[in-house]
Amino acid sequence: MELDLADWGVPPEAQILSLTFTPQAEPGGGVLVPAALQQHLTKGPIAHVQRFVAWPLSGNPQTCEVTVGCVWLDSQAEVGMEPLVAAIESFSNKEYRAAVIPAMVAVEVKLNSVLAEHYSAFRAKKHAVDFLNDTPLAFQLDYLLPSLMNLVGAPPLGSEVTRQLKTLKGFRNDVAHTHRPMSGAATADALLSAIFGYRYLSLYGGRLSAGN
């Protein structure tokens, strides 16, 4: 049996992050094997064309439907998604130092994009970008972002996520300049804050430009 993911809407140039195959059984139809999972993050690139050979575990062969779940990263995804996925991949491979810098890059790219889009409604975008480049991340997280999000009715990012993002910035500087070792627990907290912060900006960032 052959499954070409392009036939089901997955772009040929997309990076497949995971595939899940879940057998479906009729009521009383017997025991099925658990769902099978392929993950790019731990097993290398996943092929867009999957080939299968059915083999009964016991007794007579039986047929059943299989639900296929696919998660992929489109080649046209926004710029910040690529370093975020790279950070998650490094963490999955227990390369904790390698996860820190791309995680911070993803958040900074997204945050600067959201804020620059808002401020460029009042000044030339170059001036907005220069202003943000000269503004420390802590100031952006503590003052600029909360005040602007409050004006458009978005919920706050949250003090714990804000604190962890500032911690991640410190980790990023230490890894870049002193090659500091990173524990799995510290990296997990920092990476989760990056994922949460990125998703927060994706969900609510558009309100800033819409409100201009």
Side-chain angles (χ1 to χ4, degrees):
M1 183 179 74
E2 181 175 287
L3 171 66
D4 188 342
L5 296 173
D7 294 339
W8 299 94
V10 179
E13 67 280 2
Q15 176 187 350
I16 300 175
L17 302 181
S18 70
L19 276 176
T20 307
F21 304 92
T22 307
Q24 304 294 318
E26 296 292 335
V31 179
L32 294 171
V33 297
L37 174 66
Q38 294 186 41
Q39 288 183 304
H40 162 73
L41 299 180
T42 55
K43 296 185 178 180
I46 297 175
H48 283 241
V49 177
Q50 298 283 317
R51 295 178 175 86
F52 306 92
V53 176
W55 188 265
L57 296 178
S58 63
N60 296 323
Q62 296 181 352
T63 61
C64 71
E65 293 185 354
V66 176
T67 299
V68 180
C70 180
V71 178
W72 74 87
L73 179 64
D74 197 300
S75 63
Q76 302 302 313
E78 58 187 26
V79 177
M81 279 299 298
E82 184 176 344
L84 188 60
V85 170
I88 297 170
E89 183 171 5
S90 294
F91 181 83
S92 298
N93 293 325
K94 297 185 179 181
E95 298 169 354
Y96 302 131
R97 268 193 295 237
V100 168
I101 292 179
M104 190 71 257
V105 167
V107 174
E108 289 180 324
V109 167
K110 186 63 177 177
L111 179 59
N112 282 355
S113 173
V114 168
L115 294 179
E117 187 68 25
H118 169 74
Y119 287 120
S120 63
F122 309 99
R123 294 290 303 274
K125 191 164 188 177
K126 178 183 183 303
H127 294 305
V129 172
D130 289 343
F131 163 67
L132 293 170
N133 287 339
D134 292 336
T135 305
L137 177 70
F139 189 88
Q140 295 182 31
L141 291 173
D142 287 338
Y143 296 100
L144 297 183
L145 185 64
S147 61
L148 292 174
M149 288 301 187
N150 181 66
L151 288 175
V152 296
L157 176 60
S159 59
E160 179 61 20
V161 177
T162 299
R163 184 184 70 80
Q164 286 288 354
L165 286 175
K166 289 187 284 188
T167 299
L168 174 59
K169 179 68 172 182
F171 288 162
R172 179 263 173 215
N173 292 339
D174 290 345
V175 167
H177 300 301
T178 67
H179 203 53
R180 71 167 281 173
M182 291 295 303
S183 69
T187 308
D189 287 341
L191 181 56
L192 283 173
S193 73
I195 295 170
F196 194 97
Y198 193 97
R199 290 297 299 148
Y200 172 87
L201 293 165
S202 295
L203 285 171
Y204 298 111
R207 294 191 185 186
L208 293 180
S209 56
N212 290 336

